[in-house]
Amino acid sequence: MTEKTEKVALTPKTHTTPPAKFSHGVKKGNILQVAGQVGFLPAVEGQPPTPAGPTLREQTLQTLANVKSVLEEGGATWDDVMMVRVYLTDVDHFAEMNGIYNEYFEEQNLTAPPAARTTVYVGLPAGLLIEIDALAVLG
């Protein structure tokens, strides 16, 4: 009989409690799924979430930092990430986001970059330009 692995919800201290019944990340066994993260600054108790700024650069770097904090909460690093999905609200942001993304991951000194997919999605709250999720396999 195989032992069942417990599913663990992950919410870093830097994140607010999700507004609906979901987790910022979930780990089960050696699989860690990071839910879609946006460019909100670290949470301040009693204050609503605040975007890192109005620019794609500010929001992308904060979004990547938020994904990283969920990965770390689950014991993972960027090197454990197999897949990154990026959702942009404007097709004209592709080239700029790719430049920011490349810069960021160059600084991470990865053994191999993760697979990635970028799509345009118009359902983000007003003012938010990007959302990123990630799938990691540990060990």
mmCIF file of all heavy atoms in Angstrom, residues 12 14-15 24 34-43 50-52 58-73 78 104 132:
data_model
loop_
_atom_site.group_PDB
_atom_site.id
_atom_site.type_symbol
_atom_site.label_atom_id
_atom_site.label_comp_id
_atom_site.label_asym_id
_atom_site.label_seq_id
_atom_site.Cartn_x
_atom_site.Cartn_y
_atom_site.Cartn_z
ATOM 1 N N PRO A 12 3.522 32.806 2.056
ATOM 2 C CA PRO A 12 4.643 33.500 2.696
ATOM 3 C C PRO A 12 4.151 34.684 3.528
ATOM 4 O O PRO A 12 3.090 35.244 3.259
ATOM 5 C CB PRO A 12 5.479 34.005 1.508
ATOM 6 C CG PRO A 12 5.031 33.193 0.338
ATOM 7 C CD PRO A 12 3.606 32.833 0.596
ATOM 8 N N THR A 14 5.105 37.586 3.402
ATOM 9 C CA THR A 14 5.061 38.785 2.559
ATOM 10 C C THR A 14 3.751 38.912 1.788
ATOM 11 O O THR A 14 3.516 39.927 1.140
ATOM 12 C CB THR A 14 6.207 38.755 1.525
ATOM 13 O OG1 THR A 14 6.134 37.521 0.802
ATOM 14 C CG2 THR A 14 7.553 38.907 2.202
ATOM 15 N N HIS A 15 2.923 37.872 1.832
ATOM 16 C CA HIS A 15 1.699 37.837 1.031
ATOM 17 C C HIS A 15 0.450 38.025 1.889
ATOM 18 O O HIS A 15 0.413 37.592 3.038
ATOM 19 C CB HIS A 15 1.591 36.491 0.304
ATOM 20 C CG HIS A 15 2.534 36.347 -0.838
ATOM 21 N ND1 HIS A 15 3.883 36.598 -0.742
ATOM 22 C CD2 HIS A 15 2.312 35.975 -2.117
ATOM 23 C CE1 HIS A 15 4.449 36.377 -1.915
ATOM 24 N NE2 HIS A 15 3.516 36.004 -2.765
ATOM 25 N N HIS A 24 -1.555 30.599 -2.308
ATOM 26 C CA HIS A 24 -0.505 31.201 -3.136
ATOM 27 C C HIS A 24 0.371 30.115 -3.748
ATOM 28 O O HIS A 24 0.951 30.314 -4.807
ATOM 29 C CB HIS A 24 0.341 32.167 -2.310
ATOM 30 C CG HIS A 24 -0.373 33.440 -1.994
ATOM 31 N ND1 HIS A 24 -0.656 34.393 -2.933
ATOM 32 C CD2 HIS A 24 -0.880 33.907 -0.835
ATOM 33 C CE1 HIS A 24 -1.294 35.402 -2.372
ATOM 34 N NE2 HIS A 24 -1.454 35.123 -1.095
ATOM 35 N N VAL A 34 3.074 27.142 -7.869
ATOM 36 C CA VAL A 34 2.885 28.519 -7.425
ATOM 37 C C VAL A 34 1.705 29.086 -8.204
ATOM 38 O O VAL A 34 1.690 29.047 -9.438
ATOM 39 C CB VAL A 34 4.143 29.380 -7.684
ATOM 40 C CG1 VAL A 34 3.906 30.826 -7.259
ATOM 41 C CG2 VAL A 34 5.348 28.794 -6.956
ATOM 42 N N ALA A 35 0.712 29.592 -7.483
ATOM 43 C CA ALA A 35 -0.449 30.212 -8.125
ATOM 44 C C ALA A 35 -0.017 31.501 -8.810
ATOM 45 O O ALA A 35 1.051 32.044 -8.525
ATOM 46 C CB ALA A 35 -1.518 30.513 -7.071
ATOM 47 N N GLY A 36 -0.852 31.996 -9.686
ATOM 48 C CA GLY A 36 -0.566 33.248 -10.369
ATOM 49 C C GLY A 36 -0.284 34.369 -9.383
ATOM 50 O O GLY A 36 -1.093 34.644 -8.507
ATOM 51 N N GLN A 37 0.888 34.972 -9.521
ATOM 52 C CA GLN A 37 1.302 36.081 -8.670
ATOM 53 C C GLN A 37 1.295 37.357 -9.494
ATOM 54 O O GLN A 37 1.540 37.332 -10.701
ATOM 55 C CB GLN A 37 2.706 35.834 -8.113
ATOM 56 C CG GLN A 37 2.846 34.564 -7.295
ATOM 57 C CD GLN A 37 2.037 34.608 -6.024
ATOM 58 O OE1 GLN A 37 2.196 35.491 -5.188
ATOM 59 N NE2 GLN A 37 1.130 33.652 -5.863
ATOM 60 N N VAL A 38 1.023 38.464 -8.833
ATOM 61 C CA VAL A 38 1.047 39.769 -9.485
ATOM 62 C C VAL A 38 2.041 40.667 -8.767
ATOM 63 O O VAL A 38 2.641 40.262 -7.770
ATOM 64 C CB VAL A 38 -0.365 40.402 -9.530
ATOM 65 C CG1 VAL A 38 -1.298 39.584 -10.424
ATOM 66 C CG2 VAL A 38 -0.948 40.545 -8.134
ATOM 67 N N GLY A 39 2.188 41.893 -9.237
ATOM 68 C CA GLY A 39 3.209 42.795 -8.731
ATOM 69 C C GLY A 39 2.836 43.599 -7.511
ATOM 70 O O GLY A 39 3.144 44.790 -7.432
ATOM 71 N N PHE A 40 2.193 42.968 -6.532
ATOM 72 C CA PHE A 40 1.900 43.658 -5.282
ATOM 73 C C PHE A 40 3.136 43.676 -4.394
ATOM 74 O O PHE A 40 3.847 42.682 -4.280
ATOM 75 C CB PHE A 40 0.755 42.980 -4.520
ATOM 76 C CG PHE A 40 -0.611 43.197 -5.112
ATOM 77 C CD1 PHE A 40 -1.537 42.172 -5.113
ATOM 78 C CD2 PHE A 40 -0.985 44.420 -5.652
ATOM 79 C CE1 PHE A 40 -2.805 42.356 -5.644
ATOM 80 C CE2 PHE A 40 -2.241 44.622 -6.187
ATOM 81 C CZ PHE A 40 -3.163 43.586 -6.185
ATOM 82 N N LEU A 41 3.351 44.821 -3.742
ATOM 83 C CA LEU A 41 4.423 44.947 -2.759
ATOM 84 C C LEU A 41 4.129 44.029 -1.571
ATOM 85 O O LEU A 41 2.978 43.606 -1.394
ATOM 86 C CB LEU A 41 4.511 46.397 -2.282
ATOM 87 C CG LEU A 41 4.978 47.405 -3.337
ATOM 88 C CD1 LEU A 41 4.755 48.828 -2.839
ATOM 89 C CD2 LEU A 41 6.435 47.170 -3.700
ATOM 90 N N PRO A 42 5.147 43.730 -0.743
ATOM 91 C CA PRO A 42 4.883 42.898 0.442
ATOM 92 C C PRO A 42 3.728 43.469 1.265
ATOM 93 O O PRO A 42 3.563 44.687 1.384
ATOM 94 C CB PRO A 42 6.211 42.955 1.202
ATOM 95 C CG PRO A 42 7.229 43.123 0.123
ATOM 96 C CD PRO A 42 6.566 44.044 -0.879
ATOM 97 N N ALA A 43 2.944 42.560 1.808
ATOM 98 C CA ALA A 43 1.733 42.921 2.548
ATOM 99 C C ALA A 43 2.039 43.752 3.784
ATOM 100 O O ALA A 43 3.022 43.510 4.476
ATOM 101 C CB ALA A 43 0.988 41.652 2.950
ATOM 102 N N THR A 50 -0.919 46.763 -2.631
ATOM 103 C CA THR A 50 -0.469 47.919 -3.401
ATOM 104 C C THR A 50 0.453 47.464 -4.528
ATOM 105 O O THR A 50 1.455 46.790 -4.263
ATOM 106 C CB THR A 50 0.316 48.888 -2.483
ATOM 107 O OG1 THR A 50 -0.490 49.191 -1.350
ATOM 108 C CG2 THR A 50 0.691 50.160 -3.210
ATOM 109 N N PRO A 51 0.167 47.835 -5.783
ATOM 110 C CA PRO A 51 1.079 47.493 -6.882
ATOM 111 C C PRO A 51 2.450 48.142 -6.677
ATOM 112 O O PRO A 51 2.562 49.221 -6.095
ATOM 113 C CB PRO A 51 0.392 48.077 -8.125
ATOM 114 C CG PRO A 51 -1.048 48.181 -7.744
ATOM 115 C CD PRO A 51 -1.046 48.508 -6.273
ATOM 116 N N ALA A 52 3.499 47.479 -7.167
ATOM 117 C CA ALA A 52 4.870 47.968 -7.028
ATOM 118 C C ALA A 52 5.063 49.295 -7.747
ATOM 119 O O ALA A 52 5.954 50.056 -7.404
ATOM 120 C CB ALA A 52 5.848 46.940 -7.577
ATOM 121 N N GLU A 58 8.609 47.584 -13.027
ATOM 122 C CA GLU A 58 8.368 47.512 -11.578
ATOM 123 C C GLU A 58 7.488 46.308 -11.243
ATOM 124 O O GLU A 58 7.780 45.553 -10.303
ATOM 125 C CB GLU A 58 7.677 48.790 -11.090
ATOM 126 C CG GLU A 58 8.550 50.022 -11.121
ATOM 127 C CD GLU A 58 7.759 51.307 -10.959
ATOM 128 O OE1 GLU A 58 6.760 51.507 -11.678
ATOM 129 O OE2 GLU A 58 8.149 52.107 -10.094
ATOM 130 N N GLN A 59 6.418 46.141 -11.994
ATOM 131 C CA GLN A 59 5.490 45.046 -11.696
ATOM 132 C C GLN A 59 6.088 43.680 -12.007
ATOM 133 O O GLN A 59 5.874 42.727 -11.268
ATOM 134 C CB GLN A 59 4.178 45.256 -12.448
ATOM 135 C CG GLN A 59 3.367 46.407 -11.898
ATOM 136 C CD GLN A 59 1.970 46.461 -12.472
ATOM 137 O OE1 GLN A 59 1.400 45.441 -12.867
ATOM 138 N NE2 GLN A 59 1.400 47.654 -12.508
ATOM 139 N N THR A 60 6.858 43.571 -13.087
ATOM 140 C CA THR A 60 7.456 42.275 -13.438
ATOM 141 C C THR A 60 8.472 41.846 -12.382
ATOM 142 O O THR A 60 8.464 40.696 -11.924
ATOM 143 C CB THR A 60 8.128 42.338 -14.825
ATOM 144 O OG1 THR A 60 7.134 42.666 -15.800
ATOM 145 C CG2 THR A 60 8.769 41.000 -15.195
ATOM 146 N N LEU A 61 9.350 42.761 -11.976
ATOM 147 C CA LEU A 61 10.357 42.412 -10.966
ATOM 148 C C LEU A 61 9.706 42.053 -9.631
ATOM 149 O O LEU A 61 10.130 41.097 -8.965
ATOM 150 C CB LEU A 61 11.366 43.551 -10.807
ATOM 151 C CG LEU A 61 12.267 43.775 -12.026
ATOM 152 C CD1 LEU A 61 13.141 45.010 -11.841
ATOM 153 C CD2 LEU A 61 13.115 42.544 -12.327
ATOM 154 N N GLN A 62 8.647 42.766 -9.250
ATOM 155 C CA GLN A 62 7.953 42.438 -8.001
ATOM 156 C C GLN A 62 7.215 41.111 -8.131
ATOM 157 O O GLN A 62 7.198 40.301 -7.196
ATOM 158 C CB GLN A 62 6.977 43.546 -7.606
ATOM 159 C CG GLN A 62 6.331 43.319 -6.251
ATOM 160 C CD GLN A 62 7.342 43.284 -5.117
ATOM 161 O OE1 GLN A 62 8.142 44.213 -4.979
ATOM 162 N NE2 GLN A 62 7.324 42.244 -4.302
ATOM 163 N N THR A 63 6.630 40.860 -9.286
ATOM 164 C CA THR A 63 5.925 39.595 -9.512
ATOM 165 C C THR A 63 6.900 38.423 -9.407
ATOM 166 O O THR A 63 6.609 37.416 -8.756
ATOM 167 C CB THR A 63 5.221 39.607 -10.881
ATOM 168 O OG1 THR A 63 4.283 40.690 -10.901
ATOM 169 C CG2 THR A 63 4.489 38.297 -11.139
ATOM 170 N N LEU A 64 8.069 38.553 -10.028
ATOM 171 C CA LEU A 64 9.082 37.498 -9.933
ATOM 172 C C LEU A 64 9.541 37.315 -8.486
ATOM 173 O O LEU A 64 9.740 36.182 -8.031
ATOM 174 C CB LEU A 64 10.266 37.814 -10.851
ATOM 175 C CG LEU A 64 9.965 37.673 -12.350
ATOM 176 C CD1 LEU A 64 11.033 38.372 -13.183
ATOM 177 C CD2 LEU A 64 9.835 36.208 -12.743
ATOM 178 N N ALA A 65 9.689 38.403 -7.741
ATOM 179 C CA ALA A 65 10.051 38.308 -6.320
ATOM 180 C C ALA A 65 8.953 37.590 -5.539
ATOM 181 O O ALA A 65 9.247 36.787 -4.633
ATOM 182 C CB ALA A 65 10.288 39.702 -5.734
ATOM 183 N N ASN A 66 7.696 37.837 -5.890
ATOM 184 C CA ASN A 66 6.586 37.177 -5.196
ATOM 185 C C ASN A 66 6.542 35.688 -5.516
ATOM 186 O O ASN A 66 6.277 34.868 -4.634
ATOM 187 C CB ASN A 66 5.263 37.870 -5.553
ATOM 188 C CG ASN A 66 5.187 39.274 -4.979
ATOM 189 O OD1 ASN A 66 5.943 39.643 -4.090
ATOM 190 N ND2 ASN A 66 4.279 40.073 -5.507
ATOM 191 N N VAL A 67 6.810 35.321 -6.776
ATOM 192 C CA VAL A 67 6.886 33.896 -7.130
ATOM 193 C C VAL A 67 8.017 33.250 -6.342
ATOM 194 O O VAL A 67 7.853 32.179 -5.750
ATOM 195 C CB VAL A 67 7.093 33.703 -8.651
ATOM 196 C CG1 VAL A 67 7.389 32.237 -8.973
ATOM 197 C CG2 VAL A 67 5.878 34.185 -9.438
ATOM 198 N N LYS A 68 9.167 33.927 -6.310
ATOM 199 C CA LYS A 68 10.334 33.387 -5.597
ATOM 200 C C LYS A 68 10.030 33.165 -4.117
ATOM 201 O O LYS A 68 10.450 32.161 -3.532
ATOM 202 C CB LYS A 68 11.525 34.327 -5.767
ATOM 203 C CG LYS A 68 12.807 33.790 -5.171
ATOM 204 C CD LYS A 68 13.977 34.725 -5.439
ATOM 205 C CE LYS A 68 15.262 34.158 -4.855
ATOM 206 N NZ LYS A 68 16.392 35.065 -5.102
ATOM 207 N N SER A 69 9.287 34.072 -3.491
ATOM 208 C CA SER A 69 8.993 33.897 -2.064
ATOM 209 C C SER A 69 8.094 32.695 -1.818
ATOM 210 O O SER A 69 8.244 32.001 -0.810
ATOM 211 C CB SER A 69 8.411 35.172 -1.450
ATOM 212 O OG SER A 69 7.134 35.440 -1.934
ATOM 213 N N VAL A 70 7.189 32.389 -2.744
ATOM 214 C CA VAL A 70 6.359 31.182 -2.600
ATOM 215 C C VAL A 70 7.222 29.939 -2.815
ATOM 216 O O VAL A 70 7.107 28.957 -2.080
ATOM 217 C CB VAL A 70 5.158 31.195 -3.566
ATOM 218 C CG1 VAL A 70 4.338 29.905 -3.429
ATOM 219 C CG2 VAL A 70 4.260 32.412 -3.318
ATOM 220 N N LEU A 71 8.108 29.990 -3.803
ATOM 221 C CA LEU A 71 9.032 28.866 -4.019
ATOM 222 C C LEU A 71 9.845 28.597 -2.746
ATOM 223 O O LEU A 71 9.943 27.445 -2.304
ATOM 224 C CB LEU A 71 9.996 29.170 -5.182
ATOM 225 C CG LEU A 71 9.404 29.209 -6.575
ATOM 226 C CD1 LEU A 71 10.418 29.775 -7.565
ATOM 227 C CD2 LEU A 71 8.923 27.829 -7.014
ATOM 228 N N GLU A 72 10.405 29.645 -2.182
ATOM 229 C CA GLU A 72 11.232 29.491 -0.977
ATOM 230 C C GLU A 72 10.413 28.973 0.198
ATOM 231 O O GLU A 72 10.899 28.155 0.980
ATOM 232 C CB GLU A 72 11.898 30.818 -0.629
ATOM 233 C CG GLU A 72 12.985 31.187 -1.617
ATOM 234 C CD GLU A 72 13.563 32.576 -1.418
ATOM 235 O OE1 GLU A 72 12.970 33.397 -0.680
ATOM 236 O OE2 GLU A 72 14.624 32.853 -2.027
ATOM 237 N N GLU A 73 9.175 29.419 0.324
ATOM 238 C CA GLU A 73 8.283 28.937 1.389
ATOM 239 C C GLU A 73 8.097 27.420 1.287
ATOM 240 O O GLU A 73 7.962 26.731 2.293
ATOM 241 C CB GLU A 73 6.936 29.659 1.298
ATOM 242 C CG GLU A 73 5.965 29.339 2.398
ATOM 243 C CD GLU A 73 6.275 30.028 3.726
ATOM 244 O OE1 GLU A 73 7.098 30.961 3.760
ATOM 245 O OE2 GLU A 73 5.675 29.612 4.727
ATOM 246 N N TRP A 78 14.623 28.756 -7.941
ATOM 247 C CA TRP A 78 14.343 28.874 -9.380
ATOM 248 C C TRP A 78 14.897 27.674 -10.144
ATOM 249 O O TRP A 78 14.371 27.299 -11.184
ATOM 250 C CB TRP A 78 14.929 30.176 -9.932
ATOM 251 C CG TRP A 78 14.099 31.382 -9.637
ATOM 252 C CD1 TRP A 78 14.450 32.445 -8.854
ATOM 253 C CD2 TRP A 78 12.773 31.676 -10.110
ATOM 254 N NE1 TRP A 78 13.428 33.371 -8.812
ATOM 255 C CE2 TRP A 78 12.392 32.916 -9.587
ATOM 256 C CE3 TRP A 78 11.878 30.997 -10.936
ATOM 257 C CZ2 TRP A 78 11.164 33.517 -9.854
ATOM 258 C CZ3 TRP A 78 10.640 31.578 -11.206
ATOM 259 C CH2 TRP A 78 10.295 32.819 -10.673
ATOM 260 N N TYR A 104 16.562 39.267 -15.421
ATOM 261 C CA TYR A 104 16.308 38.688 -14.103
ATOM 262 C C TYR A 104 16.902 37.286 -14.004
ATOM 263 O O TYR A 104 17.613 36.965 -13.053
ATOM 264 C CB TYR A 104 14.803 38.639 -13.818
ATOM 265 C CG TYR A 104 14.475 38.012 -12.487
ATOM 266 C CD1 TYR A 104 14.494 38.765 -11.321
ATOM 267 C CD2 TYR A 104 14.167 36.658 -12.384
ATOM 268 C CE1 TYR A 104 14.212 38.193 -10.085
ATOM 269 C CE2 TYR A 104 13.877 36.083 -11.162
ATOM 270 C CZ TYR A 104 13.906 36.845 -10.017
ATOM 271 O OH TYR A 104 13.627 36.266 -8.802
ATOM 272 N N ILE A 132 2.279 35.920 -13.139
ATOM 273 C CA ILE A 132 3.202 34.808 -13.419
ATOM 274 C C ILE A 132 2.915 33.670 -12.456
ATOM 275 O O ILE A 132 2.739 33.891 -11.259
ATOM 276 C CB ILE A 132 4.676 35.241 -13.269
ATOM 277 C CG1 ILE A 132 5.016 36.367 -14.256
ATOM 278 C CG2 ILE A 132 5.623 34.049 -13.460
ATOM 279 C CD1 ILE A 132 6.404 36.962 -14.081
#
